Amino acid sequence: MKRSPRALWTAAVTTLAVAAVTALGAAEAPDTAAARPTQAKAGTSVTANVPVLRIGSKGPAVTALQYLLTARGHTVAADGVFGHKTADKVKAFQRNNRLTADGVVGAKTWSKLTRTVRQNSSGPTVKAAQRLLTARGHAVAADGVFGKRTALAVRAFQKSRSLPADAIVGPKTWNALLTTSPAAQPATRPSAPRGYSLKFTKNHKHPMYSTLSLVRDGKVLKTYRANSGMGSKDACLPNEGWLPSGTYKVKGHETNRGGWNYNPRVQIQGYAIQLEDKYCSPASGRKPVKRTALFIHSEMLADGTQAINTPKQDDYWRWDGDFDYLSNGCIKLKPNDIKDLFKRLNQAHWPKNMTLRVG
């Protein structure tokens, strides 16, 4: 049966309308935080080298994932920890995008999550890019606003990865940010260092309950209660703050430091391990401070014995109780503990190139 020109025109218009609705349905909405024309096309193509995240993963790649999930309507706290709540959001996103809903974020899921952003873009997707940029050493505030500073950071990162420095976070830049992001995949245990070393672990809640450990080939042989400083956590505060974090060379050791028992000019007497000087890492606007005269020590006389007890008086050369863990910035042990440490290191013939790790 022949169709009239009017019927043919109506059919053509209907076909075009259906096609337009289908295209809009397939397109991805921009970030709910800020619908900008510059949020470009949704979904980018990433390679198989991107991190595979699952329950138990931690770090900046997880934070970026959480921001991207939020941008796609699956809101979750960006705490950098891949827990069950994040896994549930991943599964919901995967179901909505016809992916295997296994809660594991691999290349296919990353490709659906990422989208191209550039200057004037805003929202959680921008926050994800900013968090990864900072993790790669190009620090920028994760404020969700793609301004000039973020553009400069993107260009610098792109140059470092031999990418076109166009300040646009598209597929290749997302791929580089993800594949080079630290803590992206479940951590692999590094090979244990060989030989003897010391490790001071700071207790941030209760500094006087910090610990000093003797380690051999990565295995802890003995742990002692210890402290560093007078209770302040400011590593740039000489004689008050605890030791700056980092690795120290052990410069030497002695069991009769002070030369004679009551030398008032030598507060550290008896058993002592000398450490190298170290600069603190100050807060913004403060100058670095060089910490000097650093030791692992206790309270005793030069010959390792205890001074006579003077009632109601603290003595530099006598251990009077737990409050004696306070120290002028050095690491302090009980007398019996430092003697035990010396005994163990004597048996090991005081290994050369021994270090102390503070953290």
Side-chain angles (χ1 to χ4, degrees):
M1 183 176 76
K2 291 185 177 181
R3 302 174 69 178
S4 67
R6 180 180 181 82
L8 289 171
W9 170 254
T10 301
V13 170
T14 301
T15 301
L16 289 171
V18 170
V21 170
T22 302
L24 287 172
E28 191 170 4
D31 285 2
T32 55
R36 297 278 194 269
T38 52
Q39 290 287 50
K41 59 182 180 182
T44 60
S45 178
V46 297
T47 70
N49 295 324
V50 292
V52 177
L53 304 182
R54 51 173 59 86
I55 288 179
S57 297
K58 297 179 181 180
V62 176
T63 305
L65 163 68
Q66 292 164 330
Y67 280 133
L68 291 172
L69 285 168
T70 297
R72 306 302 290 270
H74 301 275
T75 304
V76 61
D79 58 6
V81 178
F82 199 128
H84 290 284
K85 289 184 179 179
T86 299
D88 290 341
K89 298 295 183 180
V90 171
K91 290 176 183 177
F93 174 79
Q94 289 171 327
R95 283 192 293 268
N96 289 349
N97 287 271
R98 298 182 180 181
L99 299 170
T100 302
D102 55 6
V104 178
V105 181
K108 291 182 179 180
T109 303
W110 280 120
S111 293
K112 292 288 185 179
L113 281 167
T114 53
R115 62 178 62 185
T116 298
V117 289
R118 52 169 61 86
Q119 197 161 349
N120 296 325
S121 297
S122 63
T125 301
V126 176
K127 287 186 178 182
Q130 291 168 328
R131 187 65 186 86
L132 291 173
L133 283 166
T134 297
R136 296 310 306 154
H138 301 273
V140 63
D143 57 8
V145 179
F146 201 131
K148 291 183 178 179
R149 291 186 178 181
T150 299
L152 290 173
V154 171
R155 284 196 180 95
F157 173 76
Q158 288 171 326
K159 289 179 181 178
S160 72
R161 304 301 299 172
S162 299
L163 296 171
D166 56 7
I168 298 173
V169 184
K172 290 183 179 180
T173 302
W174 275 117
N175 191 76
L177 284 169
L178 288 167
T179 55
T180 55
S181 175
Q185 303 192 43
T188 56
R189 186 181 296 274
S191 57
R194 305 296 296 174
Y196 285 86
S197 63
L198 296 168
K199 180 181 179 182
F200 180 70
T201 304
K202 298 175 178 178
N203 186 325
H204 287 264
K205 290 185 178 180
H206 305 288
M208 286 207 299
Y209 285 86
S210 301
T211 59
L212 179 72
S213 299
L214 176 62
V215 182
R216 182 182 182 184
D217 297 339
K219 180 180 179 181
V220 174
L221 300 179
K222 182 73 174 183
T223 296
Y224 311 94
R225 180 182 166 185
N227 183 43
S228 171
M230 303 294 285
S232 173
K233 300 173 186 177
D234 184 354
C236 290
L237 188 62
N239 300 322
E240 296 285 341
W242 57 17
L243 288 184
S245 296
T247 301
Y248 296 70
K249 294 179 181 179
V250 173
K251 297 177 65 177
H253 65 280
E254 51 189 314
T255 58
N256 64 340
R257 178 174 170 77
W260 61 286
N261 286 349
Y262 292 99
N263 184 344
R265 293 172 297 179
V266 181
Q267 293 185 8
I268 297 174
Q269 298 208 49
Y271 289 63
I273 299 173
Q274 187 176 7
L275 306 171
E276 67 174 326
D277 297 340
K278 183 72 70 174
Y279 280 95
C280 72
S281 297
S284 178
R286 294 180 59 185
K287 294 182 179 180
V289 175
K290 187 177 183 180
R291 300 290 301 273
T292 62
L294 304 178
F295 295 87
I296 300 172
H297 69 103
S298 186
E299 287 197 344
M300 57 178 64
L301 296 173
D303 61 2
T305 61
Q306 292 281 284
I308 298 173
N309 184 21
T310 304
K312 298 181 181 180
Q313 179 178 330
D314 185 24
D315 196 307
Y316 286 134
W317 306 301
R318 180 180 180 85
W319 186 268
D320 293 305
D322 282 352
F323 65 87
D324 275 342
Y325 276 107
L326 295 175
S327 168
N328 291 338
C330 300
I331 294 176
K332 201 169 184 181
L333 303 174
K334 282 185 177 181
N336 287 341
D337 287 345
I338 197 167
K339 288 181 178 180
D340 181 75
L341 176 60
F342 266 68
K343 178 181 177 181
R344 292 171 181 271
L345 288 172
N346 283 335
Q347 292 172 346
H349 305 291
W350 282 92
K352 295 180 179 180
N353 302 320
M354 192 165 63
T355 60
L356 165 72
R357 176 67 181 173
V358 176

